[in-house]
Each structure stands twice: as C-alpha cells, then as structure tokens.
C-alpha cells in the first residue's frame, strides 16, 4: 500500500496495489490532534518517513469509526514505534509493547514530553465534543457560583 493522505499523525488514507482506497488508523498509539501542540509535528514526521514509499500494512480490525486498525511498517521499521520513540505519540496501553520506548522518550523530554500542560489527545477530544463542553461549563459554573 501507499499512504496518499496523512490526515494526522495516526490516521491515513492509503491505496493498495489494485487502487482501492482505505482509511487507516494506526494501532496501539494515539497522536496529538492537529489543533494541539505537536499535532502538526507528528503529521510532518509521518509525511517525511513515508514520502513516495510503499508501506507494509497489516490490518487488525476496525475501530468505532469504521477505520481499519493497522500496523504500518516502512522498510522494516514500525511506524508506531518510530512515533513513540520521537515523543510524538502516546502508547494506548501502559504495559504494552511501547512501554520502554515511551519511558525513554519521556526521560529525554522529546516532543509531547518536552513541556508542561500538554493535554492528552483523548482528553482534548472529549472536551471538544458538545457534551464535553457542556459538562465542563456546568462544572465551572458550579464551582464558581456565588453563595
């Protein structure tokens, strides 16, 4: 397959050798959203790695948005591993295969670990939804109401 569109650090549009388009979501990691700090850097990192290259994709099912969950390898190198080691993605399970790689990126203060106040992508998504905004406004009002 070839990645034709890099939507963000962990979501791609790919075309296989028969010309069929598939929307892929990188398995086992979560990159910052484009609206977050380091989101554009994660997308640029993937673009630079995959520029004009065919990638090896192993499909592993679908997520709740009907995207194909995939493991992506570029020249024998795992893309998720590269993103985590560069500090541009969070591993989804703490005891998984990226635990030591994530620890190394955190200790070296790379990418998402370089400063304070970086909200995790799943927290950002929950706050950007209508319900998340409503709940946070309600909690703010309740906390700051006059007595």
């Amino acid at each position: 397959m070839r990645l034709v569109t890099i939507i963000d650090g962990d979501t791609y549009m790919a075309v296989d050798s028969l010309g069929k388009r598939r929307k892929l979501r990188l398995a086992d990691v979560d990159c910052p959203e484009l609206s977050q700090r380091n989101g554009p850097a994660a997308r640029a990192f993937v673009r630079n790695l995959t520029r004009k290259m065919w990638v090896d994709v192993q499909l592993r099912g679908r997520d709740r948005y009907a995207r194909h969950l995939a493991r992506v390898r570029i020249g024998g190198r795992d893309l998720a591993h590269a993103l985590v080691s560069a500090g541009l993605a969070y591993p989804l399970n703490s005891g998984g295969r990226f635990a030591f790689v994530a620890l190394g990126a955190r200790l070296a203060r790379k990418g998402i670990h370089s400063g304070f106040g970086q909200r995790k992508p799943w927290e950002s998504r929950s706050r950007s939804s209508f319900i998340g905004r409503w709940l946070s406004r309600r909690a703010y009002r309740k906390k700051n109401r006059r007595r």
Side-chain angles (χ1 to χ4, degrees):
M1 288 191 163
R2 200 178 88 227
L3 303 182
V4 291
T5 305
I6 312 298
I7 298 168
D8 63 10
D10 55 9
T11 309
Y12 322 112
M13 285 298 293
V15 175
D16 62 9
S17 58
L18 300 174
K20 185 174 180 179
R21 295 176 67 94
R22 296 177 191 255
K23 193 169 190 177
L24 303 178
R25 166 78 165 76
L26 196 57
D28 302 328
V29 295
D30 198 2
C31 288
E33 302 298 321
L34 288 177
S35 60
Q36 291 183 285
R37 189 177 62 201
N38 294 313
R43 181 169 67 174
F45 182 81
V46 174
R47 275 189 181 151
N48 289 335
L49 278 180
T50 61
R51 185 159 299 182
K52 297 181 181 177
M53 293 186 72
W54 287 87
V55 296
D56 183 30
V57 175
Q58 291 178 336
L59 299 178
R60 304 181 58 91
R62 290 182 180 253
D63 67 359
R64 63 181 174 181
Y65 302 109
R67 298 175 294 193
H68 293 277
L69 291 173
R71 276 190 164 167
V72 178
R73 298 181 76 73
I74 306 158
R77 185 177 181 195
D78 188 8
L79 181 58
H81 185 277
L83 280 165
V84 172
S85 66
L88 296 172
Y90 292 96
L92 287 180
N93 48 358
S94 59
R97 61 189 183 115
F98 300 123
F100 290 114
V101 178
L103 179 63
R106 194 174 314 121
L107 291 175
R109 304 193 60 76
K110 293 181 179 177
I112 55 179
H113 309 292
S114 64
F116 295 102
Q118 173 78 29
R119 186 179 296 151
K120 297 192 173 34
W122 52 90
E123 293 170 354
S124 177
R125 281 190 295 272
S126 69
R127 286 198 174 201
S128 67
S129 71
F130 173 76
I131 299 296
R133 286 193 311 268
W134 181 78
L135 287 173
S136 64
R137 256 189 254 127
R138 185 171 180 228
Y140 177 79
R141 284 187 198 131
K142 188 175 182 180
K143 185 176 122 184
N144 294 318
R145 72 176 172 218
R146 294 183 184 168
R147 296 185 180 180

